[in-house]
Amino acid sequence: MLPATEAQLKNITVKSDQLEKLMTAKIDEVRLLKGTRDEMEREVNGLRARLKEIEGRYSSVQSDLDAKTASLKSVADEYNRAQLLKKKYHNTLAELKGCPRVVIKLREPSHNDHYPPGGHPPGAIRHDWGAVCVADPCTINIPTKSKSFVFDAVITPDDPQTGLDLFNQVNGSGMVHDVLHGCNSTLFTFGPKNSGKTTALLGHGNNDAQGLIDVFITQLFGAMEHNDVDCFTIKAQMIELNNDTIYDLFADPSQTTEQSPHYEILRDDKGRVHIPGLQQVNVNKAQQLHQLFHWGLKSKRKRSQVETRVGASHLLFTCTVENYNKKGDFRRARLTFVDLAGASNTPENQWIVRSHQALGDVISVLSTAVQQRHHQVQHEISRQNIPYRNSKLTLLLSEALGGNCKTTMLCCVTPSPALMEELLTALIYAYHLKCVRNQVMPYDIPADLQKLEEQMRTIDFNSIK
């Protein structure tokens, strides 16, 4: 019994020693872990202090960054304003030198227009419309073609587009002022078919949606009332050019094509274009001119319905304004509006394509001549060398293109990717037109010179020996 108990006690003693050693080892491990923990706590506290320092520096850097970003944005905005002002000054200087004023009007793409994969609907991004991007009120970019154009103004679908708004964009007040001071002025619309140019110029036919012509008529008579105009006369003409045939829209609308006179375009002894035999109607009130203009439009629609003529046509409405100011000075000028038909590939409209090509040829010759003079290339071009006679349209517009006239183009386009070719062609036409330089000479005869001319006419030079 005793030996067994001693053996058991010995085993217990051994196990007790082992457990004591194990406990001692664990205590050492705990002490080590505590030391490690204390060290890590010190490290964490150091990191927290470091983090707090970094957060303070980050806040300072972020504040500096925000300030620099705001400053950079301010500088960028100032730069953009300076660039826009530079473009406007350049355009004004070019206009003073006789270059035409060109305004681009964007029609909002419809929901039926197709967009390339990854494209976006119009208006999804500010200043981004279909295939074009309007960088500022004078610049239009075509990113997919890496093209950029600068014009006098770019009207987006976001901008108001009433007749009065368009009047202000095309500098209508300046045109009215020029006409009353003896400078010929022409406003014509250009662009692809269904781009909104006819609506912009002629309106919808009701007072709530007046076109540019109606606004011009109202503003013209208003300017004569408020300026120093003492007396005036206004003579109006309105023609339609269809398949290179001229129709007088103030003539009897019941006349058929066979009964209508054959009109020819001639030049007088001073080289000015005129059409003998056209009806000229005198008006002295704005309401009369409004009614006369809309009567001409109704006559155009009636002729199109009665006769077998098909396809689109060009429309020209001209007002010859003569006035005396309170000093007795005499001024004469023509205010012309031209609605150019949009080209299409249909057989009946091939003549429109040809007329646009002739227009492009004239603009190309005139712009090339100006660019060569700018680069000091010795190249003189006379008006006899300009291909005006290639088309009746260009012959009618010869004064507006390189002649004695201040010209404004309202180029209407649809910025749809599906119409990229038409869009780019129209913008190139408009861009080259800005390079044309007209020779503007106001017709303004001072009262003293009129008296002198009257005295000269009364002198019998045959009696003077």
Side-chain angles (χ1 to χ4, degrees), residues 324-330 444-459 461:
Y324 288 89
N325 63 9
K326 290 181 171 54
K327 296 179 180 179
D329 302 336
F330 176 71
D444 187 350
I445 303 178
D448 294 341
L449 183 58
Q450 296 175 51
K451 293 179 182 178
L452 180 61
E453 289 179 346
E454 184 65 26
Q455 293 174 1
M456 294 288 288
R457 283 194 292 267
T458 60
I459 296 175
F461 289 97

Side-chain angles (χ1 to χ4, degrees), residues 332-345:
R332 178 194 295 133
R334 285 189 295 183
L335 177 59
T336 305
F337 302 95
V338 184
D339 180 30
L340 297 182
S344 62
N345 292 324

Side-chain angles (χ1 to χ4, degrees), residues 292-401:
L292 183 66
F293 166 63
H294 287 284
W295 188 87
L297 293 181
K298 292 179 181 178
S299 175
K300 177 179 179 293
R301 289 192 292 267
K302 184 175 181 180
R303 289 176 183 273
S304 300
Q305 294 170 358
V306 173
E307 301 181 13
T308 58
R309 290 187 285 120
V310 294
S313 59
H314 305 309
L315 179 72
L316 288 87
F317 178 60
T318 302
C319 298
T320 302
V321 182
E322 298 178 349
N323 72 88
Y324 288 89
N325 63 9
K326 290 181 171 54
K327 296 179 180 179
D329 302 336
F330 176 71
R331 289 89 172 261
R332 178 194 295 133
R334 285 189 295 183
L335 177 59
T336 305
F337 302 95
V338 184
D339 180 30
L340 297 182
S344 62
N345 292 324
T346 55
E348 63 270 15
N349 286 331
Q350 287 304 304
W351 73 275
I352 297 178
V353 177
R354 292 193 296 271
S355 68
H356 283 191
Q357 290 173 345
L359 178 64
D361 292 340
V362 170
I363 293 175
S364 177
V365 171
L366 291 171
S367 62
T368 301
V370 172
Q371 291 172 1
Q372 288 177 339
R373 286 200 298 269
H374 176 72
H375 293 291
Q376 299 181 349
V377 177
Q378 297 300 323
H379 177 74
E380 294 295 331
I381 182 169
S382 65
R383 289 182 65 81
Q384 287 77 14
N385 297 330
I386 303 172
Y388 291 120
R389 293 191 174 274
N390 288 358
S391 169
K392 288 186 177 180
L393 174 64
T394 51
L395 195 55
L396 289 169
L397 293 178
S398 57
E399 282 299 308
L401 302 173

Side-chain angles (χ1 to χ4, degrees), residues 147 149 151 363 411 422-434:
K147 295 285 187 180
F149 302 92
F151 299 104
I363 293 175
C411 181
E422 295 179 352
L423 168 66
L424 194 57
T425 299
L427 293 180
I428 291 175
Y429 264 82
Y431 177 76
H432 284 294
L433 179 66
K434 277 198 66 65

Side-chain angles (χ1 to χ4, degrees), residues 130-145:
V132 305
C133 176
V134 180
D136 58 52
C138 292
T139 308
I140 184 169
N141 299 324
I142 304 181
T144 57
K145 299 292 184 179

Side-chain angles (χ1 to χ4, degrees), residues 41 85-86 186 196 336 403 410:
E41 284 181 353
L85 189 62
K86 176 183 176 183
T186 296
T336 305
L410 179 62

Side-chain angles (χ1 to χ4, degrees), residues 400-418:
L401 302 173
N404 179 19
C405 185
K406 289 193 173 184
T407 303
T408 300
M409 171 196 273
L410 179 62
C411 181
C412 301
V413 293
T414 302
S416 170

